[in-house]
Amino acid sequence: MRLPGPSLVSQSLAFFFAIALSAQFAAAAGPPRQSEPASTLPVRELTEHSLPPSDAAEGRIKLDVVVTIKVDSPWEYRKPVPGLQSKDFTLLDNNQPAKILSFSAFDPTAAKPDPPVEVILVIDTVSRKSKDVLDDVQHGVEKFLRQNGGHLAQPVSIYRVSNAGLSVTPQPSTDGNALATEISQKGGLRKITLDQGDLSLQNSSFQNQLIHPQTALSALGSIVLIERRKPGRKLLVWVGYGGPGEEDYDRGLALGSRQSARFDWITEFSTRIREARIALFGVTFWQSPDRRFPYESFLVGVKSATQANPGNLAFEVLATQSGGLVLEKPDNDLTRLIDTCVQDAGAFYTISFDPPRTNAVDEYHDLKVEVSKPGLVARASTGYYDQPVYYDQPYVAAERVTVAQLEQALSNAHGRSDAETARQLSTMELTERMSSTRLSSWKARMPGTKSWSALAAVADASVFLGLPPAEIPTSAAPDLNAQRLMQSRTIDYLLKTIPKLPDFFATRTTAHYREPPVREGQTWKRRLAIGRCI
């Protein structure tokens, strides 16, 4: 961040030091007031930019559920079943019943969602060598758009993914004829460029792959981030030959050759797709059943980086985990396949719940929605990654300790892991100032960087507190004339010297964050990914 101009800095610092010195030397000064942590404002700014406007911002997890007649084949489709009530549903979080906080039922006639379900068609032309295949895809999409005289039941957006980047129709529309004309004309789609003011696009594990995708999978990540800014449910239908996961798997997933990088992408896709309320569908031209990727073995949620595999990012896996499907038919009737996917916009149900509190980052939770009526099965997101601050719980006050008590606790914690020590320090708050000398003496004794950062954060928060009694000099305080002279020289220095200094920049890194107390009648809910930006 850029600091204010010299004149403003000098005036502010002069006033601050004058007040500080007066308070320091006042005989009857009471205990200093504690202020809200300095990191609060930037965190709120980040949260407001990063969350969708109306869905994830309210703090609960929303699940869009489609109920169908049970079928044996995952490639087979059945129409959604309407008319169910909240009592017909059970939500299991890690096989434990979870309380459903809200329930809504939608159908095409009685209760339509607001905003309406948006259909997103993605035309995939990345690294496709056959012009016949591209022509078939284009023709199938145009035929779908021009059905029923071009009157579409749902608003439709169209993306084209190519080696040159991403392009999209100007806005969702129910005018199928106009959309068909736009995608048939050269330059009919708008080229997407990275919005430098959009934190959700810049601060993401997808950021190095945005807009100019190396793979179809990274293009999918870009589309998800863009659509995540819109409220409401969305059906994303990927149209092409194969799916995003096929190329990436064959290449060994060059975008994340390390397991930790793959895990970042897995957690990123899971979270962003769910927050965007997107169900993924794939319609493909398979030449033979032998080309099918054996995705079933990768459907189990990934709990750690050691379990991350390129197959966990195959499109079939992402689609199934999002509550969608990958469909194919022997006749390769692309229009009929798209029609089938869009039927999911008819009858569906939306439920919400609060995730349990956790102290772990990216803690995977398995989700399952069960329907009590026999012969029916529910499709919805199959899991989510819980975070330490994704909760609505009463504020837990920090343990207030002296510098000596803190040092004793650190001595007793000898042998604990870096993460355990950092977690213990995050629950502490000093009642007196820790000097820089004492802080530096602990640096070499901390078990790792996390615990050292946590200790530094605790010490920084105590900077305006009084020193421990043993560290306060016994010499007499300056008399009134000496105090006035010190103040005068301080103000004179700031006013004459600071304006002559050059402009400079500073970078702030948040090492510690704690939510403020909940006021009566309010809740405090924020979504913040610990350990990585969002």
Side-chain angles (χ1 to χ4, degrees):
M1 61 179 178
R2 189 182 180 91
L3 294 181
S7 60
L8 178 59
V9 170
S10 60
Q11 295 175 26
S12 301
L13 289 178
F15 176 77
F16 170 80
F17 275 101
I19 296 297
L21 286 170
S22 298
Q24 180 75 20
F25 298 126
R33 297 174 60 188
Q34 295 183 13
S35 60
E36 191 172 327
S39 62
T40 299
L41 181 59
V43 168
R44 285 176 181 168
E45 291 176 346
L46 176 62
T47 302
E48 290 169 1
H49 283 83
S50 302
L51 292 176
S54 63
D55 292 331
E58 67 186 30
R60 298 174 179 174
I61 289 182
K62 278 190 175 181
L63 297 180
D64 295 303
V65 184
V66 173
V67 178
T68 64
I69 298 174
K70 188 175 182 179
V71 294
D72 294 331
S73 172
W75 303 84
E76 192 174 350
Y77 182 85
R78 288 290 184 268
K79 290 183 179 181
V81 176
L84 300 178
Q85 301 177 14
S86 59
K87 64 181 182 181
D88 299 320
F89 291 87
T90 300
L91 174 63
L92 299 178
D93 185 329
N94 278 347
N95 292 320
Q96 297 298 316
K99 182 180 180 180
I100 297 177
L101 299 178
S102 67
F103 174 87
S104 300
F106 301 100
D107 62 69
T109 56
K112 296 183 179 180
D114 183 22
V117 179
E118 179 185 351
V119 175
I120 304 166
L121 299 181
V122 182
I123 302 175
D124 179 8
T125 65
V126 173
S127 302
R128 306 306 186 210
K129 299 179 180 180
S130 172
K131 183 178 182 302
D132 292 338
V133 170
L134 298 180
D135 290 342
D136 288 342
V137 170
Q138 182 84 13
H139 175 72
V141 173
E142 289 186 24
K143 184 179 176 182
F144 165 78
L145 295 172
R146 296 189 186 278
Q147 290 181 119
N148 303 318
H151 300 292
L152 299 173
Q154 307 297 140
V156 174
S157 296
I158 302 176
Y159 285 85
R160 178 175 281 117
V161 182
S162 68
N163 291 321
L166 282 174
S167 54
V168 66
T169 49
Q171 60 186 7
S173 175
T174 57
D175 187 343
N177 291 325
L179 291 173
T181 300
E182 286 178 353
I183 66 172
S184 64
Q185 294 177 346
K186 185 177 181 180
L189 301 186
R190 175 175 56 87
K191 184 86 178 283
I192 296 176
T193 56
L194 178 60
D195 180 2
Q196 296 299 328
D198 190 335
L199 292 176
S200 68
L201 288 177
Q202 295 181 63
N203 297 321
S204 165
S205 293
F206 298 143
Q207 63 183 351
N208 295 327
Q209 304 290 334
L210 284 171
I211 308 308
H212 296 290
Q214 297 178 3
T215 66
L217 183 62
S218 55
L220 175 61
S222 299
I223 295 170
V224 168
L225 289 180
I226 294 168
E227 293 295 328
R228 176 176 171 268
R229 295 176 291 183
K230 304 177 185 178
R233 184 177 180 233
K234 307 162 192 79
L235 308 180
L236 191 153
V237 184
W238 195 278
V239 187
Y241 187 79
E246 179 190 1
E247 280 190 349
D248 295 327
Y249 185 79
D250 291 342
R251 294 180 184 182
L253 201 62
L255 56 89
S257 56
R258 293 181 295 106
Q259 284 185 313
S260 59
R262 293 174 191 161
F263 185 65
D264 285 342
W265 274 68
I266 291 168
T267 57
E268 194 85 4
F269 266 111
S270 173
T271 302
R272 306 311 173 200
I273 290 173
R274 176 181 53 76
E275 288 178 341
R277 294 181 63 188
I278 287 177
L280 295 177
F281 292 83
V283 293
T284 65
F285 291 105
W286 292 109
Q287 287 183 331
S288 70
D290 295 337
R291 287 185 56 84
R292 291 176 182 169
F293 174 66
Y295 70 93
E296 290 87 351
S297 58
F298 297 99
L299 291 177
V300 177
V302 179
K303 297 182 178 181
S304 66
T306 57
Q307 299 175 352
N309 189 290
N312 295 116
L313 286 166
F315 187 80
E316 296 91 337
V317 175
L318 296 176
T320 304
Q321 291 175 343
S322 73
L325 296 169
V326 176
L327 302 176
E328 63 151 322
K329 288 187 178 180
D331 57 8
N332 278 337
D333 187 340
L334 189 59
T335 303
R336 190 185 308 174
L337 289 174
I338 299 174
D339 275 329
T340 300
C341 298
V342 174
Q343 290 185 52
D344 256 33
F348 69 97
Y349 309 87
T350 300
I351 62 178
S352 70
F353 70 99
D354 263 333
R357 188 168 181 173
T358 179
N359 291 323
V361 177
D362 290 334
E363 179 182 271
Y364 180 78
H365 283 241
D366 182 73
L367 284 178
K368 187 175 182 181
V369 180
E370 295 182 340
V371 184
S372 60
K373 293 191 175 183
L376 299 181
V377 65
R379 275 193 286 112
S381 294
T382 61
Y384 70 97
Y385 288 91
D386 202 1
Q387 303 294 346
V389 292
Y390 196 15
Y391 60 87
D392 184 13
Q393 299 284 344
Y395 175 73
V396 179
E399 179 185 2
R400 295 173 58 80
V401 295
T402 65
V403 171
Q405 289 172 333
L406 174 62
E407 292 185 327
Q408 182 62 44
L410 291 174
S411 298
N412 294 339
H414 180 71
R416 292 185 182 177
S417 68
D418 186 28
E420 289 175 330
T421 306
R423 191 177 301 116
Q424 179 185 14
L425 287 168
S426 68
T427 65
M428 293 184 172
E429 181 178 308
L430 284 170
T431 59
E432 52 193 16
R433 188 196 319 165
M434 174 177 278
S435 66
S436 57
T437 302
R438 299 187 74 160
L439 175 63
S440 299
S441 68
W442 277 97
K443 187 170 185 178
R445 291 183 278 175
M446 301 307 292
T449 57
K450 291 181 180 179
S451 54
W452 167 246
S453 296
L455 178 60
V458 174
D460 289 345
S462 72
V463 68
F464 294 116
L465 301 177
L467 287 168
E471 297 183 31
I472 298 176
T474 57
S475 56
D479 59 23
L480 183 60
N481 290 332
Q483 292 180 32
R484 289 174 176 172
L485 180 62
M486 293 169 65
Q487 293 181 19
S488 175
R489 289 178 176 177
T490 300
I491 295 173
D492 186 64
Y493 171 79
L494 292 171
L495 292 176
K496 291 182 178 180
T497 305
I498 292 295
K500 298 178 182 179
L501 295 177
D503 288 348
F504 59 95
F505 297 85
T507 300
R508 173 167 55 191
T509 300
T510 301
H512 179 67
Y513 174 75
R514 180 180 290 122
E515 297 86 348
V518 179
R519 298 176 182 175
E520 185 177 357
Q522 292 182 334
T523 59
W524 199 157
K525 196 182 291 277
R526 286 289 185 267
R527 172 70 171 92
L528 179 65
I530 303 297
R532 55 189 174 91
C533 294
I534 56 174

